[in-house]
Structure formats: structure tokens, C-alpha cells
Amino acid sequence: MTQPWEIESFLEVRDNQLHIDGVNAADLASEHGTPLFVFSESRIRRNIERLRKSASVIDCPLKLCYAAKAVSTMGILRAIKDAECDIEVNSGGELWKALKAGFSGQQIIFNGTSKEIWEIELAIKSSIYAIQVDSLYELELIEQTAERLGKKANVSLRLVPEIETSTHSALQTALLTSKFGMMPDEAFEAFRKYRNSPNLDLCGIHLHIGSQNPEAHAYADAFQMLFESMLRIYNESGIKIRHINLGGGFPVNYLPNVSQESEFPSKQREMFAADFEPSDAVREAWASVKAIAADSGAADLLEGLTLLLEPGRSIIADAGICLTTVRNHKERPVSETADHRLLTTDHWLLTDVGFNNLLSTATYKWYYHLISAERAGEASDTPYKLAGPLCDGGDVYFDVEGKKRLPDHRMLPESIEPDEILAFLNAGAYTVAQESQYNGRFLPAVVLVRQDGKAELIRRRECFEDLISTDV
Ligand SMILES: Cc1ncc(COP(=O)(O)O)c(C=O)c1O
């Protein structure tokens, strides 16, 4: 291994070129064009296995539900299903895709703050494992819909645990000020009110503390809060909860090469470089709740329980690489002093991937590490200003607002010129899923490198007709 971002048998430098599961990235780029997203089935499976280790540190069954919102291209969903992982969806559309990909109702859980009747109907008719309810109003809608359909809906109530982590403010989902879930008191009231409903099976409680959580300990806090709620529900309504859902949010280390990124803002490092074993967090959470349960004489409440996790990023982020071609370059004088004295010259690289493909770069000032795919073994010792192709001043890979939330420059080998292929690493989560055709740009192709090393096209690049296919 010559480079800090290399991962044996997955991301490797061979003959100075980036290889993904043994496939030359530059060859894929010339076959399918760029931008191009390349996913590794072996890495997806390895990530699922890593999460599954949590099953061995708890005394109850574990149900792992991949958060489809991270990316729901059909080829990826099928790969997830083939790896025997269940699924969490966030809309009727994702639910439909999950069913189409072959997931059974019992493999599906359904989140969301604004569910429509048709979505609730589809969930109930498909007998999904749990509709995760966001409010008392929604619970009423679900009950009425189930009654109309002559069915019983499995529901799990999403609680607001008021746990704050040091992730990005937009990725906090467990605070009173966030838009998700219901107050515990409302949930307790719901359990009392609906305990004898013939149309609702109140089988679980749920929370999600946010995404890219740097603190492993937050899962223990969350589980304790859920257990206390479970105990109160049992005492007040006699209902024994059958599943507890701890959500997702396990972090991915986006800074595999942080020592070289000397400009990387120190405030952001902790979040982007967060790294812990999910099973360590789950072990700590389980042990603390087991002790509390024993102390409060309620150990039997843990019997017959299933623990759910709904990770997205930690399954798919590092399994996806985004290849891009440098399409233009220029030099710009830079003055950094008040008297506008010329200090230096910036070398700009303009790529063919923009925030229409990597939306979080604009919305969250997200960082994706960049390397040269064609000179992957060379030292990245030259600073470049990097920008995308969009006619939008915010389509840049530094902090255009000047708040220094991103490094000003990207470090790459010297003398990068148009036509060189670059690769954004850890680009699998919340990228393909959020793409748009902004500026009339085609959605790029997506390739999945299968376990046997064959690169399979799972989404074709769009063409002119796709740009107008829904216009009437
Ligand atoms: C309810 C819910 N579950 C699971 C996830 C997946 O989170 P992550 O991709 O960080 O694992 C999210 C994303 O924020 C979410 O909102």
C-alpha cells in the first residue's frame, strides 16, 4: 500500500492507476463516460457484515434495515437484498421500489414525516414490519386507513429523545427543535388510547439520533431513553414492546488522508474523521440497558425483544466512488491582503461533476476526498482550486461563503490538465440519490462491480430525450 486511502482488495493503486475491486477506474470512465458512479458489491457486503457483528454483542435478535434514502438505484437495492439485509424506506416511492426489488413486507420499515393516504395504504396492504409513526395525527390516519381496508397495521412510534451530537446541524434529528417524531408523553398517551384497537398493532418504538454521529456513546443514551419509555409504556398500558429501533447514523471516515490536507478546518475534522465500530456502540448501549433493566427489576422486558438498526451511510458511502474528468483549467492571480498586493496564483480545475451530482457539497459544505485516478500512486503535493461545471457560483469545492468550512484547495499531483480522470472517494451515500438535471445535465451512469469482479452497468447515462421525458 502506498497511499493512505488504499483498502486492500478494494481500493488499490496498480501501475499508478486507481483500481476498484481489481477493475481499472480509468477504463470504466472511458467505457461509460464521466461523471460516473462506481459501487463495489464486495464492499457493501463487508460493511453489512461489519454492522451485523452487533448481533453477537446483544442477547436478542438483530434486524438490520438499510436506509434506502442513502441510494435506492434498483441494482443497489437488489445487492442489499442479496446480502440478506432488510430495508428502511421514506416514501411510497421507495416502498414501491423496495417491493419491486424483491423485499417482502416483513423486511420493510417505513419512516417519514408527511405520509399520504396512498402511501399508508400501500404499507398496510403490503403488511410491512412497521410503519414508523411521526405524530398522533398520523397514527389516527393509519388507524382509519387500516379500518377501511379491514386490516391491522404494524406501527412503531418515533420519539424525540433530545440527544444532541456534534454532527452537522442539518443532520441532527433528535432534538426538540428538529422536525421529527413525537414527544414521549404523546407516545405514552397513544399507547393507552390505542391499546385495544383492532386495527393497530403497537409493536415498537423508534428514534434516530442523526447522521454521521461522531460519539459512540450517544447510542447508549438513546437506548436508555428508549428502555425507560418501554418500561413506562408497560406500566401504563400493559403493552410489551416487541421491537426497539435505534436508527442509523454510524459515521464514515471521510478524511483518509487528513495529514496531507493541512488546510482542513480543524472545527470540521472531528465530524468528518469520525470512526468507531458500530458493534462497540451497540455493545455499550446493550450493556447499560441490561444493567438498568436488572436494577429496576424489569429484565423480562428485554426478553422476546428485537433490536433494529437502520444504517445507510455506513453501508454505502465508502462503497461508492465518483469519477470525473477535468474539462477546463485556468490560472487566477490571488490577492489576500487589504492592499490587494498579488500574493500568489491559483490553478483552477473545472470538472464535469457538480452539486447536481454531489448536492451536499453545496447544502452542507460536505467534503469528499479527491485523488487522481490516472496517477493514483503519485504524491498529491500541488494545491488546486476546484469547481464543477454548473452555471452557479456556488458550484465549487471550497467554502464560497468564506466561512472556511472546507479547505480552500485540493491537493493533487502536479500538472493536472484537461482530460485527466479524478476520483471522489466515499461518494456513495446521499449523492446519486439526490441528483438533478440542473443546467440540462444528464444523470450519470452507475456501475456496480460484482463480487466476481465483473463491472455491471446498473443505471445508464441519460440522453437528450431523458431531459424532456416528463414534460408535456
Ligand atoms: C430515520 C432515519 N433512519 C436512518 C437514517 C440513516 O442514517 P445514516 O445514513 O447516517 O446511517 C436516516 C438518515 O438520516 C434517518 O433519517
Side-chain angles (χ1 to χ4, degrees):
M1 301 277 181
T2 56
Q3 299 288 10
W5 46 260
E6 280 185 86
I7 299 172
E8 200 177 347
S9 308
F10 166 42
L11 277 187
E12 292 176 321
V13 181
R14 294 186 196 168
D15 301 328
N16 205 19
Q17 307 241 311
L18 171 67
H19 283 66
I20 304 166
D21 285 345
V23 181
N24 187 324
D27 289 350
L28 288 175
S30 52
E31 187 180 344
H32 299 283
T34 61
L36 177 70
F37 282 89
V38 184
F39 286 87
S40 155
E41 185 175 29
S42 302
R43 189 69 182 172
I44 292 172
R45 286 195 171 224
R46 175 266 176 201
N47 290 342
I48 289 174
E49 283 317 311
R50 177 177 177 237
L51 285 151
R52 231 178 234 137
K53 282 191 193 138
S54 302
S56 63
V57 299
I58 57 177
D59 309 315
C60 73
L62 177 77
K63 189 172 174 71
L64 208 54
C65 298
Y66 165 68
K69 70 189 230 191
V71 54
S72 63
T73 304
M74 290 303 281
I76 299 293
L77 294 191
R78 289 193 196 102
I80 299 278
K81 189 187 145 285
D82 291 347
E84 295 176 7
C85 187
D86 297 341
I87 191 162
E88 179 257 353
V89 299
N90 266 283
S91 67
E94 274 183 3
L95 173 56
W96 179 84
K97 284 169 86 173
L99 292 166
K100 211 166 166 53
F103 289 92
S104 70
Q106 281 301 294
Q107 290 183 286
I108 304 174
I109 54 176
F110 180 13
N111 262 302
T113 56
S114 312
K115 300 182 190 79
E116 292 182 49
I117 295 295
W118 69 268
E119 297 175 297
I120 294 171
E121 275 179 9
L122 182 58
I124 296 174
K125 283 183 184 162
S126 310
S127 304
I128 70 166
Y129 186 85
I131 305 176
Q132 311 203 130
V133 185
D134 193 71
S135 71
L136 288 178
Y137 171 74
E138 188 186 287
L139 188 59
E140 208 175 303
L141 283 187
I142 295 170
E143 205 219 13
Q144 289 164 3
T145 310
E147 188 182 7
R148 185 162 42 75
L149 295 175
K151 299 222 171 216
K152 195 163 192 166
N154 304 318
V155 296
S156 167
L157 305 192
R158 179 167 182 171
L159 307 183
V160 187
E162 295 188 65
I163 292 173
E164 183 162 18
T165 71
S166 45
T167 187
H168 191 287
S169 56
L171 300 181
Q172 304 272 3
T173 54
L175 301 178
L176 260 189
T177 48
S178 87
K179 66 176 196 169
F180 300 99
M182 57 178 86
M183 296 304 293
D185 279 342
E186 291 178 297
F188 303 142
E189 171 56 25
F191 274 97
R192 280 194 299 270
K193 181 170 170 193
Y194 291 104
R195 81 182 138 199
N196 296 321
S197 166
N199 301 110
L200 292 179
D201 184 355
L202 295 154
C203 51
I205 44 178
H206 166 239
L207 54 71
H208 171 69
I209 44 180
S211 196
Q212 186 70 7
N213 298 313
E215 298 101 3
H217 185 71
Y219 290 87
D221 295 344
F223 198 6
Q224 282 170 25
M225 184 272 179
L226 283 183
F227 181 75
E228 280 153 20
S229 303
M230 195 176 161
L231 189 56
R232 207 175 134 188
I233 290 163
Y234 182 70
N235 289 337
E236 289 182 10
S237 63
I239 294 177
K240 194 170 166 199
I241 298 289
R242 299 201 302 283
H243 77 251
I244 270 193
N245 183 341
L246 270 184
F250 301 107
V252 166
N253 184 355
Y254 285 84
L255 302 183
N257 207 8
V258 82
S259 57
Q260 279 194 30
E261 298 288 344
S262 54
E263 282 188 2
F264 202 89
S266 53
K267 273 193 184 162
Q268 307 284 72
R269 270 177 204 241
E270 188 199 352
M271 180 189 68
F272 281 117
D275 207 359
F276 59 80
E277 281 299 318
S279 57
D280 289 344
V282 173
R283 179 189 290 109
E284 183 193 340
W286 183 264
S288 67
V289 162
K290 209 172 152 181
I292 293 172
D295 285 351
S296 49
D300 55 331
L301 272 192
L302 293 178
E303 279 162 25
L305 191 71
T306 298
L307 181 68
L308 269 64
L309 296 175
E310 43 187 33
R313 193 185 297 279
S314 52
I315 289 180
I316 208 70
D318 72 4
I321 292 97
C322 176
L323 302 178
T324 179
T325 306
V326 177
R327 298 292 180 188
N328 190 3
H329 67 160
K330 57 179 85 167
E331 296 201 339
R332 278 274 162 83
V334 188
S335 64
E336 288 177 352
T337 54
D339 61 1
H340 300 296
R341 204 158 28 90
L342 178 65
L343 286 184
T344 182
T345 300
D346 267 339
H347 300 271
W348 283 70
L349 300 177
L350 291 303
T351 67
D352 57 13
V353 80
F355 73 64
N356 55 319
N357 309 106
L358 301 173
L359 182 64
S360 313
T361 56
T363 51
Y364 298 168
K365 300 288 173 284
W366 205 258
Y367 178 82
Y368 299 98
H369 192 67
L370 185 68
I371 61 171
S372 166
E374 295 186 281
R375 292 189 284 151
E378 292 180 21
S380 290
D381 51 10
T382 307
Y384 298 89
K385 287 284 253 200
L386 197 79
L390 301 174
C391 185
D392 189 311
D395 186 34
V396 295
Y397 292 86
F398 52 89
D399 190 347
V400 72
E401 287 147 37
K403 294 186 183 152
K404 301 274 179 201
R405 289 167 293 190
L406 286 169
D408 281 338
H409 298 89
R410 294 305 185 99
M411 305 302 288
L412 290 165
E414 62 180 352
S415 313
I416 299 234
E417 293 196 354
D419 294 335
E420 182 150 350
I421 293 161
L422 310 178
F424 284 100
L425 307 182
N426 298 311
Y430 306 107
T431 51
V432 173
Q434 298 182 343
E435 283 178 308
S436 78
Q437 294 175 336
Y438 185 41
N439 275 206
R441 300 193 72 83
F442 308 127
L443 295 191
V446 181
V447 162
L448 178 65
V449 182
R450 291 286 182 193
Q451 288 190 91
D452 62 5
K454 290 207 180 78
E456 192 180 307
L457 185 68
I458 58 167
R459 186 178 85 180
R460 65 165 173 80
R461 168 182 300 281
E462 285 191 335
C463 58
F464 287 130
E465 287 303 315
D466 292 310
L467 295 180
I468 55 169
S469 63
T470 52
D471 292 352
V472 289

